[in-house]
Amino acid sequence: MQEQNLDVSVCGFGDNVVDVYEHVRTMYPGGNAVNFAVYAKKAGVRRAAYMGYFGSDDRAEHVIRSLHEEGIELVKCKQLIGENGYSCVSIAEDGDRIWGDYNQGGIRGESRYVLDRFDVEYLRQFDIVHSGNYCYTERQLHKIHEAGIPLSFDFSDDSTWEYYQEVAPNVTYAFFSASGLSVDETHDRLRKVHELGPKWVSATRGVEGCYAFDGERFYRQESKPVARMRDAMGAGDSFLTAFLVRSADARKRGASEEEAYKAGLAYAAEFASDVCCAQDGSWGHGLRY
């Protein structure tokens, strides 16, 4: 993946986990919010931070150590006594994931992060804050929205329509997976989610690429062919991250919204393809257990 010099600052707010690859007895750091920060750093943003809770076990220490090695800012994180989040996974021959046991975020799921006024002032320093539907941050999102901070959110592929109605009004950039929908159904979902409040809605469809809607026009971005799928972990996270940081940088450099979106989509397809070929886990740092 080619690093760019992007005049953008970002913060991932929410989940961190270890993805436990049982078939090779190796664990990798991950989580939607953490992946966002790391991929943004790899893309070349000037500042990338993560805000969330860690557990107190060896898994937590591995994630913290790995994030330090990647240069991610962690000043607003806290470490609580308890089990860190984990998900067990194995990899199929085509590189796709087969999910197993998980612990609902561990201590992070039991002790939800509550934003105070100083946390919100900290988040004002960033161009984009990102969270997702496994982050347990839903009750805090209105504070970010009311502060006028651009908020990105990943609804994944398993959010109910009631959940969209609850969360989307606080979101600036909405992402979801539409692999199980037809193209017509995808377009319909894009329109309906946009009507809830986000200014940009994007749906990834695996090898078919991405469909998106900005309220005026639809966008179509084909996926970049992958010569050898090594590990699909992080494919969606890397796509949305690359899109957000590249389009934000383009706007700062004077591009129109349409130009910025197109530049972001093209870069995202390339970036996500490279991630799937580059390493095991979301961004490497495998530790044998």
Side-chain angles (χ1 to χ4, degrees):
M1 63 193 73
Q2 183 178 0
E3 181 177 314
Q4 302 192 4
N5 183 22
L6 303 175
D7 183 22
V8 180
S9 60
V10 303
C11 181
F13 172 46
D15 60 335
N16 74 87
V17 301
V18 290
D19 294 313
V20 181
Y21 283 34
E22 297 177 303
H23 58 299
V24 290
R25 296 190 60 80
T26 303
M27 60 183 180
Y28 297 89
N32 190 268
V34 156
N35 290 348
F36 172 75
V38 173
Y39 289 140
K41 186 73 173 182
K42 290 182 179 296
V45 300
R46 59 179 168 81
R47 183 183 182 191
Y50 167 67
M51 174 189 284
Y53 287 160
F54 296 101
S56 57
D57 53 16
D58 291 342
R59 290 167 172 163
E61 292 298 329
H62 179 53
V63 180
I64 294 169
R65 182 169 56 251
S66 299
L67 288 171
H68 278 307
E69 291 174 2
E70 292 291 339
I72 304 303
E73 182 179 313
L74 302 176
V75 296
K76 278 290 185 176
C77 291
K78 297 180 182 180
Q79 194 166 16
L80 307 178
I81 297 175
E83 189 174 60
N84 204 73
Y86 72 83
S87 296
C88 294
V89 62
S90 58
I91 303 298
E93 291 184 6
D94 62 359
D96 207 355
R97 298 151 293 177
I98 302 171
W99 296 103
D101 184 37
Y102 67 104
N103 69 340
Q104 305 286 346
I107 191 64
R108 178 177 51 80
E110 300 171 13
S111 305
R112 312 296 172 87
Y113 204 115
V114 177
L115 296 174
D116 61 29
R117 66 179 65 181
F118 306 109
D119 294 324
V120 174
E121 284 305 308
Y122 172 76
L123 292 177
R124 287 182 190 273
Q125 301 174 44
F126 298 95
D127 295 304
I128 304 166
V129 175
H130 176 76
S131 196
N133 68 339
Y134 296 113
C135 292
Y136 302 111
T137 57
E138 292 86 357
R139 294 183 180 181
Q140 306 304 307
L141 300 182
H142 73 94
K143 299 176 184 178
I144 300 173
H145 176 69
E146 291 164 3
I149 303 165
L151 176 65
S152 164
F153 197 88
D154 188 355
F155 289 89
S156 191
D157 62 351
D158 54 359
S159 292
T160 65
W161 184 241
E162 290 74 20
Y163 186 82
Y164 277 101
Q165 291 175 307
E166 172 192 351
V167 174
N170 292 314
V171 171
T172 313
Y173 306 99
F175 299 86
F176 63 91
S177 172
S179 297
L181 303 178
S182 69
V183 172
D184 287 344
E185 289 171 333
T186 299
H187 281 166
D188 185 55
R189 175 74 62 83
L190 289 169
R191 288 193 192 94
K192 288 182 176 179
V193 175
H194 185 272
E195 289 173 357
L196 294 175
K199 76 172 191 177
W200 170 267
V201 188
S202 173
T204 51
R205 293 176 53 81
V207 296
E208 295 182 29
C210 168
Y211 291 79
F213 184 56
D214 68 358
E216 295 183 4
R217 61 187 66 85
F218 284 97
Y219 297 79
R220 171 82 169 94
Q221 176 62 53
E222 294 184 357
S223 60
K224 181 181 177 181
V226 178
R228 176 183 174 274
M229 177 70 76
R230 180 166 176 174
D231 190 342
M233 186 74 76
D237 294 347
S238 60
F239 184 92
L240 70 86
T241 302
F243 165 78
L244 288 166
V245 299
R246 180 65 179 85
S247 59
D249 180 75
R251 281 192 295 273
K252 286 191 174 186
R253 298 179 188 274
S256 67
E257 287 288 337
E258 183 179 1
E259 291 169 338
Y261 289 148
K262 288 180 177 179
L265 287 170
Y267 178 59
E270 179 180 356
F271 190 92
S273 176
D274 289 345
V275 164
C276 291
C277 299
Q279 73 274 303
D280 296 319
S282 293
W283 35 278
H285 293 267
L287 179 66
R288 293 277 296 176
Y289 66 89

